[in-house]
Each structure stands twice: as C-alpha cells, then as structure tokens.
Amino acid sequence: MKFLPVDEQLQVIRRGATEIISEDELADRLNRSRKSGRPLKIKLGCDPTRPDLHLGHSVILRKLRQFQDLGHQAILIIGDFTARIGDPSGQNKTRPPLSAKEIEDNAKTYLDQAGKVLDREKLEIVYNSDWLAEMKFDDVIRLSSRLTVARMIERDDFSRRFERNEPISLHEFLYPLAQGQDSVHLESDVELGGTDQKFNLLVGRQLQQQDGQSPQVCLMTPLLVGTDGEKKMSKSYDNYIGINEDPNNMYGKVLRITDHQIYPWFELLTDLDSDQLKEMKAKVKADPRNTKHELARTITAIYHGDEAAEKARQHFEQTVIRKEVPDDAMELSYEAGTTHRLLDIIAEAGLTSSNGETKRLMKQGGVSLDENKVTDKGYEITFEAGQKLHLKVGKRKFAVLKAE
RNA sequence: GGGGGGAUACCAAAGUGGCCAACUGGGGCAGACUGUAAAUCUGUUGGCGUAAGCCUUCGUAGGUUCGAAUCCUACUCCCCCCA
C-alpha cells in the first residue's frame, strides 16, 4: 500500500474536524505508517441502540471513509456489549438496556445503512462483547480503579443530572471505561467521535497509556445541527434527515434548513475539496436560494444518485413552489355513477390518521380538490365516467381520484 | 433502616369532587405570507358521529359518591434528605 505524503493526508483528515488530540502525534503516526507501509488502525464505535442513521451520524462515518480512502484500516466496533449499559454522554436520562435480540437486529440495520457511506469491502467489523463479556469481576474492579469519582462527575452531563436530582445509575460510570477498554484491546491508533465523545475518547487514551501502549489520537467532529437550526440532529428532537429517507423528503428537508447552515452542511456532508468549499462560502452569501438547492441536490445524489436527485428537485418545484399534484401521486379508482363522501375517501386511502383529523384539516382549508378548497365536512362526490380529480390533503399528501 | 416528595396527553407543566377531553409553553399539523417545507402571524392539536351525543384517557388495581385526574385503600415505579 502506498500512502500519500503526510501533509496531504493531514489536509484531508483535518477537514471538518473540531479537534485533534494531538495533531503532532497524528503526524508522527502517519509518518511511521508511511515508512513502514503499515496502515493505521482507525476505530469508530457505534451504538446499536437506535438503528436509524441520519445525516448527523454520517459526519463521523464520512470521516472514517476518508481514512479508508487514504489507505488506513477502518475498524467499526459494534457496541453490542456496551449497549447493555447505554452511553450516558449528553443524556439526561438513564437509557433502558436492550435485549440481545434487539441489539442484533439493530446492528444489522446499522451496517446496511452505514454501508452507504463506508467501503464495506475494506471495513473490519468487530463486536465488543467478544472481549468485554469475557472479563471477570476482578478485571472490572481493576479497570474501574483507574478513574476517580471526582473525574467522572466533573463531566457536565453527569453533574447536571446530579444537580437536577435526576438518577444516575452506577453502571453508567462503566461506559467510558468499557469504551476505553475497546481501544486497549484493539490497540487503536486513532479513535473518531463527535465532540460529545471527548471524555470517552480521552479515557481510551489514558487506559492505553496505563497499559504501556502509545495513546490513541482522538479526532472529534462537530455535532451536526438539525433541520430546526438549533439543536444537534437527533431522532428524539425530530429534526433529522434519515440516510434511508426517500429522495423527495431528503431534498425537501435539506431545503428547510436556515441559510447560515448551508455552508457547514457543505463542509460536513459533501465531498467538496477546500477550493470548492471556499467558492461555496461566497455563493451562499450571494445566492442562498440556489446554493441551498445545490446542497439539497448534492446530498440527495450521494444517497440516491444523480437521477433521483434531479427528480426530487422537480418534485419539489412542482409540489411546493407551484403547488401542483405530483406525477407519482397515488391513484384511486371509483366506479362511475357511485357517490362517496370525501371524508371516507381520505380515510380509506389512509391519508390522515383519523376522521377527526380530516375534519380539522377541512375546516382549516387544508383539503382541496382540483385547487378548490373543500371545507364542507359532508362533501360528497358522484363520479362520472372518465372523470379525474386531484386531491390534496395537507401540504404533502396527494392522490388522483379516477372514475371508471 | 428512618423521614419527605412525586407519577397528568408527544414532551414540559397547571389542575386537588361537578363549569375537565383537561390552563399554559414547546413540538406537531394547517392557513396566510415567502426564494424555501425557513422566519413571522393566525388557527388547530384523543377516538367515533352530518349532528345531538357517545366512548377512551390523568402510574396500576379496587372502593366511596348521583358524579373522581381530584377523596379512601392496596400495589408498582421514581426522586431527595438522614443513616
């Protein structure tokens, strides 16, 4: 394996990274790896508790991919054992432990989705139950003696919970130790994580050092701000864009972000090089509208391909800008001469979750037939042969009613 | 082991016998507006029903009462203080 010159590698690695502890050590390792021809071991742990990946997760996965492309060995740890604890980082609640079956299913889903970002062929996948489950109580005691309570509770997620009288279970203290033990076991050279992982990553460093290994380099990426423009992207805030999301939704959701997010998203979610990024920065200012569309298209194309991205753009223009019924709207057929209540048609098509909701929408002007709002709850349609009606329910649900 | 506090809809949080399907805020949804699915303003936010009305919901199970989220009993879970 031939490696790029160290400074070129560093340039790629640095992109979008918040902090590297430390860069000198990293350069040093890259140098040695280049000389010996041995790739670095890059560790990323994943938590198989919530299997649906979103663009927020993709930031760190993309970073791992970059290391792969530079010729290094990416190791993805499925935290099947640590998932039984639940990472307390940034949490204000104890997480409920999962069953073995749930973890297994989640891990599979996770890999399917992560495979869209990573090079699966070159990826090493390990399960941390392989070594953590083997540890004796004795080993656990020795491990937990390495960190003091004071150090633990100075973390703000713990101290905050402590101050607010929220419960902290004792086993949560073991999480960073377990994660650190992973690094010791794998003898990792670099560990990746979000900025919220700093404490955990540093524990890995400390444990390696105490075990006579050279401590891993810690690389942190920023937490991606979600579609609400405020909080980090997360499923529980419902401000996320899933990796598996269909192209139309993906495109539309990207377009929803605030203007000042456009640039960071380019930086963290796309492959533009530093020159292109610089150009983008200027573009965002000059023409936010089109630049945002470009962002939406780029991101959608990464996960669904160019063609789907282009279709998504058209879909958006059609439905949101021109407020027309999209070409791919569901079609419902009715026998000519029959009469149906619109309420029932909507219910049968599953466009709303209850008749109450449909009535509410009607009252608010959210239901229309061929561009005409229907506000009468008892509205009935008698179909004539060959008739075609465009039904719109809410902002994004469409159907074409046909009479045969 | 002892003492105290708590559990309300998606989340937070009022309500302490009828006016409670339950104040308010956040979130969601819709309308107007917009380059936008952003921001803003307005409305709306358990189910069935054209409607009158009915049904389900305030930790769980019983009870008191014409009537309970509200009172009583038991249970489950959580938090704090002292040890």
Side-chain angles (χ1 to χ4, degrees), chain A residues 23 32 50 76-77 88 136 210 231 238 285 371:
Chain A
E23 249 187 88
R32 266 182 287 158
R50 282 170 300 176
L76 184 69
I77 300 184
K136 296 270 192 296
Q210 287 169 337
K231 289 174 281 201
D238 199 25
K285 259 195 175 162
E371 316 270 304

Side-chain angles (χ1 to χ4, degrees), chain A residues 372-390:
Chain A
N372 301 312
K373 286 179 185 173
V374 177
T375 47
D376 173 18
K377 289 185 269 228
Y379 189 83
E380 292 184 338
I381 304 169
T382 302
F383 289 97
E384 292 159 24
Q387 196 180 12
K388 212 175 177 186
L389 289 167
H390 294 282

Side-chain angles (χ1 to χ4, degrees), chain A residues 232-278:
Chain A
K232 70 164 186 177
M233 184 174 283
S234 145
K235 221 176 158 187
S236 37
Y237 297 141
D238 199 25
N239 61 354
Y240 69 99
I241 301 177
I243 282 180
N244 268 347
E245 205 127 357
D246 71 69
N248 292 345
N249 271 328
M250 197 178 254
Y251 193 96
K253 281 189 177 183
V254 172
L255 232 43
R256 190 157 81 141
I257 63 174
T258 54
D259 289 355
H260 65 262
Q261 283 174 277
I262 300 175
Y263 179 75
W265 278 41
F266 264 118
E267 187 180 24
L268 297 172
L269 301 175
T270 74
D271 289 317
L272 303 191
D273 62 38
S274 52
D275 289 341
Q276 291 171 305
L277 278 176
K278 215 176 270 175

Side-chain angles (χ1 to χ4, degrees), chain A residues 29 183-188 205 207-216:
Chain A
R29 285 190 193 247
S183 295
V184 172
H185 179 85
L186 295 171
E187 303 187 5
S188 55
R205 248 172 101 81
L207 295 182
Q208 283 177 314
Q209 213 160 12
Q210 287 169 337
D211 261 39
Q213 297 180 18
S214 53
Q216 64 184 10

